[in-house]
């Protein structure tokens, strides 16, 4: 069965420093997609970044990059130059196997990131 | 702003009642996905509609139902509500690249 594991329930980072949020996944499907979402205290789910299993390069979106290590089945989110507004819950998610349309996601339990001034 | 709209933002009701949550996908997106986020279960996929047709079901209770209308907005109906149904309900739409964008959610509290 597919599974997403986020082993860090909570993390602290100093403002302006970089931080890595861990995500490991388990799937036997050769084609899959990995997502990261941010959920601030207001509750909305904000799409951050996407990595396809066949993408040759690691995805980047502004200060967010995804450290994709396929052999290790990890898809860690790296946030560079942390800002106070980055304090939030972060969820790693994977497209469900056989979901050709791409909207059925399996989510991890999340990591709560706190940025300290 | 993801472009996905959901109403109401908050809903407080009593056990045994029925409520309707409404969602409009992003302009141009034909699909709607409903998710539930609860403290004990985390984020779970409930149901998907594409251009008015149900396409996939996840962990959706029989007391819950949904539909998508010709104008592509969708409604999630929750009936015979129980305390455990208190959760944040998200609607999402999928773009042509397969990326999923979530609405702001409806926070349901069942008392």
């Amino acid at each position: 069965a597919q599974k997403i594991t986020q082993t860090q329930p909570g993390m602290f980072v100093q403002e302006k420093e970089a931080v890595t949020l861990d995500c490991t996944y388990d799937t036997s499907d050769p084609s899959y997609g990995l997502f990261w979402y941010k959920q601030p205290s207001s509750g909305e789910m904000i799409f951050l970044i996407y990595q396809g299993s066949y993408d040759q390069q690691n995805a980047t979106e502004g200060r967010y990059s995804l450290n994709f290590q396929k052999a290790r089945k990890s898809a860690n989110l790296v946030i560079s130059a942390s800002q106070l507004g980055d304090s939030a819950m972060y969820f790693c998610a994977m497209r469900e196997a056989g979901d050709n349309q791409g909207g059925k996601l399996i989510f991890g339990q999340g990591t709560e990131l706190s940025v300290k001034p | 702003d993801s472009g996905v709209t959901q109403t109401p933002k908050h809903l407080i009701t009593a056990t045994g009642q029925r409520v309707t949550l409404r969602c409009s996908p992003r302009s141009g997106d034909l699909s709607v996905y409903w998710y539930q986020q609860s403290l004990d279960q985390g984020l779970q996929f409930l149901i998907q509609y594409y251009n008015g047709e149900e396409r996939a079901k996840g962990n959706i209770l029989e007391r819950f139902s949904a539909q998508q209308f010709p104008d592509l907005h969708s409604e999630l109906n929750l009936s015979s509500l129980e305390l455990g149904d208190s959760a944040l309900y998200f609607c999402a739409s999928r773009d042509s690249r397969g990326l999923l964008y979530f609405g702001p959610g409806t926070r349901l509290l069942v008392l």
Side-chain angles (χ1 to χ4, degrees), chain A residues 35 37 39 41-45 47 50 91 95 99 101-105 107 109, chain B residues 33 35 37 43 45 48 50 55-56 88 90 94 98-104 107:
Chain A
F35 300 74
Y37 286 88
Q39 186 175 38
S41 57
S42 54
E44 73 257 45
M45 292 285 287
F47 167 74
Y50 169 80
F91 290 95
R95 179 176 300 144
D99 176 34
Q101 297 193 14
K104 289 169 62 180
L105 303 183
F107 283 84
Q109 291 303 306
Chain B
Y33 296 78
Y35 280 80
Q37 184 179 29
L43 267 154
F45 166 73
Q48 176 205 353
Y50 180 85
R55 283 295 180 93
L88 190 49
F90 287 106
R94 179 184 53 84
L99 303 182
L100 205 62
Y101 294 91
F102 285 81
R107 198 174 291 274

Side-chain angles (χ1 to χ4, degrees), chain B residues 15-92:
Chain B
T15 54
Q17 294 298 305
R18 171 190 168 96
V19 297
T20 298
L21 314 184
R22 183 188 168 105
C23 163
S24 292
R26 299 180 338 145
S27 177
D29 291 348
L30 301 180
S31 61
V32 166
Y33 296 78
W34 286 97
Y35 280 80
Q36 180 196 57
Q37 184 179 29
S38 62
L39 284 175
D40 54 344
Q41 300 284 342
L43 267 154
Q44 291 194 101
F45 166 73
L46 295 178
I47 197 165
Q48 176 205 353
Y49 278 82
Y50 180 85
N51 204 20
E53 292 186 4
E54 180 186 305
R55 283 295 180 93
K57 265 186 173 180
N59 297 323
I60 187 166
L61 299 171
E62 284 192 13
R63 299 183 285 108
F64 296 180
S65 65
Q67 53 185 326
Q68 186 179 28
F69 295 87
D71 67 351
L72 300 178
H73 90 271
S74 177
E75 292 180 357
L76 179 67
N77 300 296
L78 315 177
S79 61
S80 303
L81 284 166
E82 302 175 359
L83 296 177
D85 297 328
S86 295
L88 190 49
Y89 291 85
F90 287 106
C91 167

Side-chain angles (χ1 to χ4, degrees), chain A:
Chain A
Q2 291 183 299
K3 191 177 178 181
I4 291 282
T5 302
Q6 294 180 253
T7 57
Q8 308 151 312
M11 286 196 68
F12 289 92
V13 65
Q14 205 67 35
E15 193 179 7
K16 299 180 185 175
E17 291 185 350
V19 63
T20 298
L21 307 184
D22 294 343
C23 172
T24 57
Y25 60 91
D26 190 17
T27 182
S28 56
D29 193 340
S31 176
Y32 51 89
L34 296 157
F35 300 74
W36 277 93
Y37 286 88
K38 171 184 177 182
Q39 186 175 38
S41 57
S42 54
E44 73 257 45
M45 292 285 287
I46 302 167
F47 167 74
L48 294 179
I49 197 166
Y50 169 80
Q51 179 84 42
S53 59
Y54 294 121
D55 292 343
Q56 295 296 314
Q57 294 190 329
N58 286 345
T60 60
E61 290 283 352
R63 295 187 298 111
Y64 304 106
S65 60
L66 202 152
N67 184 0
F68 182 45
Q69 298 188 42
K70 200 168 181 177
R72 297 179 62 184
K73 293 190 174 180
S74 75
N76 298 339
L77 177 71
V78 180
I79 306 174
S80 63
S82 298
Q83 301 172 356
L84 295 178
D86 293 335
S87 294
M89 280 290 281
Y90 289 81
F91 290 95
C92 180
M94 177 168 61
R95 179 176 300 144
E96 207 173 272
D99 176 34
N100 296 328
Q101 297 193 14
K104 289 169 62 180
L105 303 183
I106 298 167
F107 283 84
Q109 291 303 306
T111 295
E112 184 165 9
L113 177 68
S114 298
V115 180
K116 292 186 167 184

